[in-house]
C-alpha cells in the first residue's frame, strides 16, 4: 500500500510506496528541501531526519548542496538550475513562498508563489499501491496580467540521493540500428548531461538513468533510477557535487530553447519518474516493467499479437497482389496481424517522393485499400498499415501546396535528411490536417493497427510566423500525443506501434498511447541480443517488437539458423519480417511450429517477470520469465568455444520448496536445485545454438 503523510510541526511530507519512502520538508525560508529517498520510514523517523540546514562552510559555498526538490536560480545557489526564468524587467530566479498543499489519495500537490513576481509553482507527486515508482512533475502559472515570463529551463523535478562513497551511472547509448547499448560507468564529480537535441527521444540516448554505489549486482543492491515520460528533446543532468552528494534534475527541452509563459497561462511539464529498490538492476527492471504494464500502457492486460511486416520483404515495391500473396503465407504460419509497410501511397516508389500524399497509389491499388484489407480480414488476421504523418518529401503535392508547413528559418537552407522535411505539428492547421486524414484512413478502411514512423531529427527548427517559435519543441510532441489520443478514443480497437527509424521514439510518454515499439531496424539476431538487453533494462518485453528476417542479415551480412532467429525474437513481441515467398516448405514448417510455441509462452514472456540470467557479451546468454506457475527460459549461444560448458544456468526467483516440471521432457526438479545448479538448456552443438525451456510449478 502507498500513503502520503504530513507533519505540520516540521512541515515534512512522507510518501510511502510498497517498499520505499520519500520525504521532503520546507526550510525556514520555504525552500522545498529533500529529506530522504530509500528504505521505508515512519513519519516520526522522517521528522527526525528533517534537520535544519547546516550553516555555510565558507563564503564560497552554496546555501544547498543540491538537496532541494526543484533547483531554482537565486541567492547562493551555484548548481544546475532546473527552473530558470527571466521576467520582463530583466530580473530572474525564484524566491519561494509556500502557499498550500493538498493530499488526494496517492497525489500530493505543494504550491508556492514567487515572493515578488507573478509566478505560481506547484510541485506534484504521485505514488501507487502496486509500484515503487514515484511520479513527479510541476505546473507553472503566470498569475499576472502583463508581460510574458521567459522559461529558460523548466524541469519536472529534482531527485537527490544519499551521500555515498562512490556513485556509478547506468544508461543506454547508441545510434540508428544499434540502439540501447548498456553502459555502466563511475560517475565523476561534476555535471554529467544525458540529452537529445533532436526533437525526438533519439537513438543516441534514452531518457533514463540508474544510479548505484558501484556495488549493486543484477540480483541485489540499492539502485535509484529516473525516467522521463517525453518524446521530444530532453535533458537529464546528474550532478555529483564536490560536497559528496548526487542529484538529478531533468525534463523536456534542451540548452538554448526558451519558452514564453503568457499572462494567465498554465504550463505543465512531463512526468519524471523515480524508483528506489534494494533488488539490484534486475529488480529495478522488474519494477519498471510492472509500472509500465500497470500504469503506463493504454491496453494493459492485453498480450500482443504476432505480426507480419512487409518492409524487409518488399521495400517500396508494394502492390495489392504482392501483399495479398504475403498475407496468405503469413496466415498459414499463424500470424495474427498483417502490416503493410512504406510504399503504398501517393508517388512513393523510393524514399525521395510522395511523403505527405496519403492516398493509395492508384497504379498499385486501383480499387483502393479495401480489397486487400478484406482479404487480410478474410484470412483471419487484423490489418495494419505504415504511416509517417510528421514528414513530407519536397517532391510531393503537399509540399508544393504548403511549403510553409515545415520547420524552417528565413534565409537558411532547409536541410533534407532521408530526402524529407519535418512538418510543424505545433501549427494547429497542420495538426488538424494530419488528424483528419489519419482518422479517415482508419475509419474508411477498418484499419486495426498503425505503425507510426518518424524518420529524421529536427533541423532549422524555426516557425517564422510565431512570436514564441521555440514552443514548437514542446507543442509538436503534444500534437502527436493528442492525435494519437483522439484516434484511440474514436477507434477503441485501434492499436499503434511507435517507430522512429527503429527505436528512436521509445519512452514512457509515447508508451502511454502506443502498444509496442519497433525496437531497431537492425534485425541481425546477434546484434539484437545486445539491443534487447539494453531495451529491457527499463521497458518490458510486452512492448518490444522483434521480427524474424531473412539471411543474410541486412546490416551485418550474418546468416543464422531460423530457429536461432526465432528464439531471439521470441524474447519480445514476436513478428516475422522475412520474404515468405522465398521460404521453403521446411522453413515454413519450422516457423509454424515456433509460432505455435510462442503462442503458448507469450503471456509468460510479455506479462511475466523478467530475470536476466547472463549478459549478451557472455558465452551463453539467457532470459527467464516467470508468471504464476509458468517459467520460460530462452537461451542463446551465438558461438561455441571448446572447453566451456554451457548446458546449465541457475534460475532465479523460484520457490525453492516447489517442484517444477519440464514441459518437453517431463523431468521434475526442486526449485532449490534449479536455483543452484540450474536447468539443462539442451543447447545443440555448434554455433548459433538456442533453446526454449518451459517449466511449470506443480
Ligand atoms: C523505418 C522503419 O524503422 C522501418 O521498419 C520501415 O518502416 C521504414 N522506415 C520505411 O520507410
Amino acid at each position: 500500500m502507498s500513503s502520503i503523510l504530513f507533519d505540520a510541526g516540521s512541515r515534512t511530507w512522507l510518501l510511502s510506496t510498497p517498499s520505499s519512502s520519500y520525504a521532503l520538508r520546507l526550510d525556514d525560508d520555504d525552500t522545498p528541501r529533500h529529506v530522504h529517498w530509500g528504505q521505508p520510514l515512519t513519519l516520526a523517523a522522517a521528522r527526525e531526519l528533517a534537520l535544519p540546514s547546516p550553516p555555510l562552510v565558507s563564503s564560497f559555498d552554496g546555501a544547498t548542496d543540491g538537496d532541494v526538490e526543484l533547483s531554482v536560480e537565486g541567492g547562493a545557489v551555484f548548481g544546475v538550475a532546473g527552473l530558470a526564468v527571466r521576467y520582463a524587467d530583466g530580473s530572474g530566479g525564484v524566491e519561494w513562498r509556500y502557499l498550500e498543499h493538498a493530499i488526494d489519495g496517492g497525489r500530493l500537490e505543494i504550491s508556492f508563489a514567487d515572493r515578488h513576481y507573478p509566478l505560481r509553482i506547484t510541485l506534484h507527486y504521485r505514488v501507487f499501491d502496486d509500484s515503487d515508482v514515484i511520479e513527479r512533475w510541476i505546473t507553472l502559472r503566470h498569475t499576472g496580467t502583463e508581460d510574458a515570463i521567459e522559461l529558460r529551463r523548466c524541469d519536472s523535478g529534482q531527485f537527490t540521493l544519499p551521500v555515498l562513497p562512490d556513485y556509478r551511472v547506468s544508461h543506454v547509448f547508441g545510434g540508428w540500428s544499434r540502439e540501447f547499448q548498456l553502459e555502466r560507468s563511475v560517475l565523476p564529480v561534476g555535471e554529467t548531461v544525458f540529452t537529445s537535441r533532436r526533437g525526438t527521444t533519439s537513438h543516441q540516448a534514452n531518457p533514463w538513468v540508474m544510479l548505484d554505489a558501484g556495488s549493486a549486482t543484477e540480483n541485489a543492491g540499492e539502485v535509484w533510477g529516473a525516467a522521463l515520460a517525453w518524446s521530444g528533446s530532453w535533458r537529464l543532468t546528474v550532478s555529483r557535487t564536490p560536497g559528496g552528494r548526487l542529484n538529478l534534475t531533468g525534463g523536456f527541452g534542451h540548452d538554448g530553447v526558451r519558452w514564453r509563459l503568457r499572462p494567465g497561462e498554465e504550463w505543465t511539464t512531463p512526468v519524471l519518474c523515480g524508483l528506489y529498490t534494494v533488488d539490484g538492476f534486475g529488480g529495478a527492471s522488474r519494477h519498471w516493467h510492472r509500472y509500465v504494464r500497470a500504469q503506463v500502457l493504454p491496453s494493459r492486460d492485453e498480450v500482443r499479437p504476432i505480426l507480419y511486416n512487409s518492409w524487409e520483404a518488399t521495400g517500396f515495391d508494394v502492390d495489392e497482389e504482392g501483399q495479398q500473396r504475403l498475407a496468405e503465407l503469413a496466415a498459414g504460419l499463424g500470424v495474427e496481424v498483417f502490416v503493410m509497410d512504406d510504399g503504398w501511397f501517393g508517388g512513393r516508389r523510393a524514399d525521395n517522393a510522395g511523403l505527405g500524399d496519403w492516398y493509395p497509389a492508384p497504379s498499385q491499388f486501383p480499387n483502393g485499400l479495401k480489397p486487400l484489407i478484406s482479404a487480410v480480414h478474410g484470412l483471419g488476421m487484423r490489418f495494419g498499415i505504415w504511416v509517417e504523418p510528421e514528414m513530407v518529401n519536397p517532391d510531393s503535392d503537399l509540399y508544393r501546396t504548403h511549403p510553409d508547413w515545415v520547420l524552417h528559418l528565413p534565409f537558411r537552407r532547409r536541410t533534407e535528411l532521408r530526402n524529407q522535411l519535418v512538418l510543424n505539428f505545433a501549427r494547429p492547421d497542420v495538426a488538424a490536417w494530419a488528424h483528419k486524414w489519419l482518422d479517415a484512413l482508419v475509419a474508411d478502411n477498418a484499419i486495426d493497427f498503425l505503425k507510426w514512423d518518424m524518420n529524421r531529427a529536427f533541423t532549422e527548427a524555426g516557425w517564422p510566423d510565431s512570436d514564441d517559435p521555440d514552443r514548437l519543441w514542446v507543442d509538436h510532441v503534444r500534437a502527436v500525443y493528442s492525435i494519437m489520443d483522439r484516434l484511440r478514443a474514436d477507434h477503441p480497437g485501434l492499436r499503434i506501434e511507435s517507430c522512429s527509424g527503429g527505436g528512436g521514439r521509445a519512452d514512457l510518454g509515447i508508451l502511454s498511447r502506443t502498444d509496442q515499439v519497433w525496437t531497431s531496424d537492425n534485425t541481425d539476431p546477434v546484434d539484437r541480443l545486445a539491443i534487447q538487453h539494453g531495451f529491457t533494462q527499463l521497458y518490458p518485453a510486452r512492448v518490444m517488437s522483434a521480427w524474424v528476417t531473412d539471411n543474410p542479415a541486412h546490416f551485418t551480412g550474418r546468416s543464422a539458423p531460423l530457429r536461432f532467429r526465432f528464439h531471439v525474437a521470441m524474447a519480445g513481441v514476436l513478428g516475422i519480417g522475412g520474404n515468405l515467398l522465398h521460404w521453403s516448405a521446411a522453413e515454413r514448417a519450422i516457423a509454424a511450429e515456433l509460432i505455435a510455441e510462442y503462442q503458448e509462452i507469450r503471456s509468460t514472456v510479455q506479462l511475466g517477470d523478467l530475470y536476466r540470467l547472463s549478459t549478451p557479451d557472455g558465452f551463453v546468454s539467457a532470459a527467464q520469465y516467470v508468471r504464476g506457475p509458468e517459467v520460460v527460459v530462452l537461451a542463446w549461444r551465438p558461438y561455441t568455444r571448446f572447453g566451456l560448458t554451457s548446458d546449465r544456468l541457475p534460475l532465479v526467483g523460484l520457490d525453492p520448496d516447489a517442484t517444477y516440471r519440464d514441459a518437453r521432457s517431463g523431468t521434475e526438479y526442486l526449485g532449490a536445485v534449479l536455483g543452484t545448479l540450474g536447468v539443462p538448456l539442451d543447447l545443440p552443438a555448434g554455433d548459433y545454438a538456442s533453446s526454449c525451456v518451459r517449466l511449470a510449478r506443480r
Side-chain angles (χ1 to χ4, degrees):
M1 280 294 283
S2 64
S3 64
I4 300 177
L5 303 172
F6 178 59
D7 177 63
S10 60
R11 300 203 295 174
T12 301
W13 291 267
L14 175 67
L15 296 88
S16 294
T17 71
S19 14
S20 73
S21 282
Y22 188 98
L24 65 143
R25 68 181 171 93
L26 295 185
D27 224 341
D28 291 345
D29 69 353
D30 286 0
T31 300
R33 302 290 291 247
H34 177 75
V35 173
H36 171 82
W37 186 24
Q39 296 275 1
L41 286 186
T42 60
L43 187 59
R47 194 172 42 226
E48 276 189 38
L49 285 172
L51 300 170
S53 307
L56 288 188
V57 175
S58 78
S59 57
F60 302 100
D61 284 294
T64 73
D65 187 16
D67 57 342
V68 288
E69 289 297 290
L70 178 70
S71 55
V72 295
E73 289 174 317
V77 174
F78 306 109
V80 178
L83 179 64
V85 300
R86 286 291 175 280
Y87 307 103
D89 64 2
S91 182
V94 170
E95 289 185 9
W96 297 99
R97 182 163 63 86
Y98 170 68
L99 295 176
E100 59 186 353
H101 81 270
I103 297 173
D104 177 9
R107 291 169 188 265
L108 167 65
E109 288 181 13
I110 313 174
S111 295
F112 304 84
D114 181 79
R115 288 185 184 272
H116 175 76
Y117 291 96
L119 181 61
R120 183 181 169 112
I121 305 165
T122 304
L123 308 183
H124 298 260
Y125 299 78
R126 188 171 177 205
V127 290
F128 303 90
D129 286 342
D130 60 356
S131 175
D132 288 319
V133 169
I134 299 174
E135 291 184 350
R136 308 263 317 261
W137 69 99
I138 70 165
T139 47
L140 298 180
R141 179 187 286 279
H142 188 318
T143 51
T145 50
E146 50 196 53
D147 298 328
I149 299 172
E150 186 179 273
L151 307 179
R152 295 183 166 191
R153 179 164 180 162
C154 183
D155 284 355
S156 304
Q158 174 165 313
F159 285 105
T160 302
L161 268 65
V163 176
L164 300 172
D166 219 339
Y167 293 101
R168 179 170 59 171
V169 63
S170 305
H171 68 116
V172 288
F173 68 91
W176 173 66
S177 284
R178 55 180 200 97
E179 302 89 336
F180 307 111
Q181 306 297 310
L182 178 65
E183 182 180 65
R184 294 197 204 290
S185 47
V186 171
L187 197 71
V189 174
E191 293 160 13
T192 305
V193 183
F194 301 92
T195 188
S196 161
R197 301 186 183 92
R198 292 171 158 81
T200 185
T201 324
S202 96
H203 302 78
Q204 287 72 14
N206 198 262
W208 64 260
V209 292
M210 293 192 203
L211 299 151
D212 76 300
S215 52
T217 64
E218 182 65 15
N219 294 320
E222 290 186 295
V223 176
W224 292 260
L228 183 72
W230 185 245
S231 313
S233 285
W234 56 271
R235 173 174 44 190
L236 298 177
T237 307
V238 184
S239 301
R240 184 171 174 186
T241 71
R245 272 205 180 271
L246 189 141
N247 65 64
L248 175 150
T249 180
F252 55 8
H254 60 261
D255 36 0
V257 169
R258 290 166 190 209
W259 305 296
R260 285 155 57 84
L261 186 66
R262 301 182 182 108
E265 192 183 358
E266 184 162 282
W267 178 262
T268 304
T269 67
V271 166
L272 176 66
C273 298
L275 169 78
Y276 166 78
T277 179
V278 292
D279 301 328
F281 295 112
S285 296
R286 286 185 290 282
H287 284 290
W288 284 114
H289 297 171
R290 279 185 223 130
Y291 166 73
V292 172
R293 289 194 304 258
Q295 302 299 340
V296 178
L297 291 175
S299 314
R300 293 176 185 171
D301 301 323
E302 201 172 273
V303 285
R304 302 304 310 137
I306 298 159
L307 68 70
Y308 178 82
N309 180 292
S310 67
W311 175 243
E312 287 206 22
T314 52
F316 294 100
D317 197 6
V318 165
D319 62 21
E320 185 181 316
E321 195 196 325
Q323 293 294 301
Q324 196 164 320
R325 275 165 53 213
L326 285 171
E328 282 158 12
L329 290 168
L333 301 182
V335 165
E336 296 156 333
V337 192
F338 180 84
V339 183
M340 175 165 69
D341 210 281
D342 199 349
W344 60 269
F345 53 90
R348 186 79 162 167
R349 303 295 165 275
D351 66 14
N352 63 347
L355 268 182
D357 299 339
W358 296 104
Y359 56 87
S363 54
Q364 296 139 268
F365 296 92
N367 301 307
L369 298 175
K370 284 193 178 117
L372 174 64
I373 296 176
S374 324
V376 167
H377 285 160
L379 289 163
M381 296 184 292
R382 287 181 243 173
F383 182 81
I385 198 162
W386 180 93
V387 292
E388 193 178 4
E390 299 149 82
M391 297 291 156
V392 64
N393 286 125
D395 184 2
S396 67
D397 292 340
L398 182 77
Y399 188 71
R400 282 183 280 273
T401 317
H402 296 291
D404 53 327
W405 275 15
V406 296
L407 303 183
H408 65 284
L409 290 168
F411 314 115
R412 291 288 173 226
R413 279 171 291 203
R414 300 180 180 197
T415 302
E416 292 178 26
L417 298 171
R418 208 193 189 208
N419 303 306
Q420 59 198 58
L421 298 167
V422 183
L423 290 169
N424 181 358
F425 268 37
R427 285 178 57 138
D429 53 348
V430 179
W433 161 85
H435 174 261
K436 190 169 172 207
W437 73 256
L438 279 160
D439 185 59
L441 177 74
V442 171
D444 297 350
N445 297 289
I447 283 171
D448 308 294
F449 181 97
L450 291 178
K451 175 179 176 183
W452 183 308
D453 204 348
M454 201 278 196
N455 278 299
R456 60 158 289 175
F458 291 13
T459 58
E460 296 86 31
W463 183 0
D465 298 339
S466 169
D467 65 347
D468 189 11
D470 279 356
R471 204 169 258 263
L472 70 86
W473 294 97
V474 167
D475 285 357
H476 180 103
V477 179
R478 287 190 174 141
V480 169
Y481 286 174
S482 141
I483 294 170
M484 287 183 176
D485 293 345
R486 283 178 72 189
L487 289 174
R488 293 193 82 107
D490 294 341
H491 309 281
L494 182 70
R495 299 291 176 264
I496 304 178
E497 179 172 69
S498 170
C499 173
S500 176
R505 189 146 66 184
D507 56 79
L508 299 176
I510 205 74
L511 282 175
S512 63
R513 60 258 310 161
T514 56
D515 301 280
Q516 58 197 62
V517 174
W518 177 227
T519 316
S520 177
D521 277 347
N522 185 347
T523 52
D524 174 299
V526 178
D527 280 14
R528 266 293 174 128
L529 289 176
I531 291 170
Q532 295 182 174
H533 182 70
F535 184 91
T536 54
Q537 297 294 313
L538 203 96
Y539 308 113
R542 157 71 175 68
V543 303
M544 185 175 72
S545 268
W547 307 341
V548 175
T549 56
D550 291 335
N551 280 335
H554 254 53
F555 295 102
T556 58
R558 191 186 338 256
S559 290
L562 190 57
R563 212 170 269 282
F564 186 85
R565 284 177 270 152
F566 259 95
H567 281 149
V568 172
M570 285 161 73
V573 177
L574 176 65
I576 314 288
N579 191 342
L580 297 177
L581 299 170
H582 299 161
W583 287 24
S584 67
E587 286 173 319
R588 292 205 302 274
I590 295 174
E593 173 211 317
L594 289 165
I595 284 174
E597 179 162 30
Y598 182 73
Q599 280 162 337
E600 285 175 28
I601 64 168
R602 74 171 144 190
S603 56
T604 309
V605 170
Q606 293 186 20
L607 306 178
D609 282 337
L610 167 66
Y611 295 86
R612 293 181 287 262
L613 301 184
S614 53
T615 56
D617 42 7
F619 178 49
V620 174
S621 62
Q624 175 197 330
Y625 307 83
V626 181
R627 184 166 186 251
E630 304 292 331
V631 182
V632 171
V633 180
L634 288 162
W636 313 278
R637 189 189 59 215
Y639 59 92
T640 191
R641 280 164 61 196
F642 178 71
L644 292 179
T645 51
S646 55
D647 57 338
R648 280 177 190 260
L649 281 175
L651 304 189
V652 192
L654 302 187
D655 176 353
D657 300 324
T659 302
Y660 293 81
R661 185 187 175 87
D662 185 316
R664 199 163 282 127
S665 66
T667 314
E668 296 193 345
Y669 306 91
L670 256 187
V673 173
L674 292 172
T676 313
L677 188 60
V679 67
L681 296 172
D682 286 336
L683 290 169
D687 292 346
Y688 303 116
S690 60
S691 67
C692 172
V693 178
R694 291 159 57 198
L695 301 163
R697 192 180 62 217
R698 303 210 29 239

